[in-house]
Amino acid sequence: MDLNAVRTFVTAADAGQFQEAAAALSITQQAVSKRIAALEKYLDVRLFARSARGAQLTIDGQAFLPHARELLRVADRADASVRPGRRALRVDIVARRIITSTLLRDFHRAHPAIDLDVITLDADLDGAITAVEAGTIDATFHAVATARRLPESIRSARIIDEPHQLLVGPRHPLADARVLSPHQLSGHRIWMPGLPANGEVADYFSEFTAAFDFTIDRLGPVFAKEALLEEISESTDLATLIGEGTRFLWPDSYDLRRIPLRDPSPIYPLSIIWRADNPHPGLTTLRAYLESRRPLTPDTDVWLPANLSWPTVKTPVVPVHLP
């Protein structure tokens, strides 16, 4: 079915005259008549009864009109779902409690006119890059190793450098510390059940623990994060590491403490990853916004793993501190 003919039919039905429909569609009245005639031939019915007073819908035309409107609505939705600038900007934030979620929420508040489709892919770096290449998503956030060769169509830029915090309960020996050095983690039980054994996160923590001579306990069943928080709140020896931009809520009775790590400040670096030929205007705005959120004053006392150092980036390594 010719959607141009359907659109012409709906316009003529609303206008009541072919001449007014022609003006609304910026075509000739003869073109309107030809499109309507072609649609009538396709449907094998008369849609209009023409008279000196205009064009009146026949019974068949009245029956077809609501379906014609729905056809146009479906066509417009289908067009908008794939056309850059009309469809939503699809962004993988990896997890909904981490810094990427917070930054995307702030971006939405700053640019409410940009329609966002915020998703969490269950994928590692390879899977996320594949999704970007395929157009399933417009952008994602991952740590990219120095030696990693990206596909020709893929671009990445370091955009987030997130410091760590130690999360402890009120009875932990380090609970009253205002700031800690990562060297002080040695000898303490850092519990991160479910920490991946392979991939970018595993590589980061492997180098992190080796650099500061402590170990991470990965053992134990993985329940909800709320279960981990409850365990830590009651423990005298358990602690865990979280990103500064990670957002958790817990009861006041837990009295959990978030203690910044400094001297040096360990940084988990994240890049935004996108297709070089992606024309979505919202993507350019998002990248500019994230760049604007990077602090202008560098914190020089930071620690970065050697395998995640982005040698092509010219800007200084600086942490993102959320308000």
Side-chain angles (χ1 to χ4, degrees), residues 89-172:
L89 181 68
R90 296 173 294 220
V91 182
D92 167 36
I93 57 172
V94 184
R96 296 192 182 275
R97 283 190 169 120
I98 66 174
I99 190 172
T100 51
S101 177
T102 303
L103 288 173
L104 259 291
R105 186 175 67 245
D106 292 346
F107 171 73
H108 176 63
R109 290 170 176 167
H111 300 276
I114 296 178
D115 191 14
L116 276 179
D117 184 5
V118 179
I119 64 174
T120 55
L121 285 181
D122 183 15
D124 58 9
L125 175 61
D126 289 336
I129 289 176
T130 298
V132 172
E133 278 193 294
T136 305
I137 56 176
D138 294 298
T140 185
F141 297 93
H142 282 269
V144 182
T146 305
R148 176 61 188 261
R149 293 181 62 87
L150 297 176
E152 185 65 28
S153 63
I154 297 298
R155 299 290 182 270
S156 70
R158 197 186 78 213
I159 206 73
I160 301 169
D161 296 327
E162 185 179 29
H164 286 289
Q165 295 177 337
L166 188 72
L167 184 66
V168 299
R171 296 187 294 160
H172 193 278

Side-chain angles (χ1 to χ4, degrees), residues 172-183:
H172 193 278
L174 300 175
D176 293 329
R178 297 184 63 184
V179 178
L180 291 168
S181 166
H183 296 285

Side-chain angles (χ1 to χ4, degrees), residues 20 48 133 168 206 248 252 311 319:
E20 290 186 15
F48 287 102
E133 278 193 294
V168 299
S206 176
F248 288 123
D252 289 342

Side-chain angles (χ1 to χ4, degrees), residues 192-220:
M192 302 179 71
L195 185 70
N198 300 291
E200 66 206 77
V201 175
D203 291 345
Y204 172 84
F205 280 105
S206 176
E207 194 168 343
F208 183 13
T209 55
F212 298 102
D213 192 28
F214 72 97
T215 60
I216 291 177
D217 182 358
R218 307 167 186 254
L219 300 179

Side-chain angles (χ1 to χ4, degrees), residues 3 15 38 61 75 82 112 118 147 154 169 180 204 217 221 237-239 265 268-269 319:
L3 288 178
V82 296
V118 179
I154 297 298
L180 291 168
Y204 172 84
D217 182 358
D237 68 328
L238 289 180
S265 178
Y268 190 86

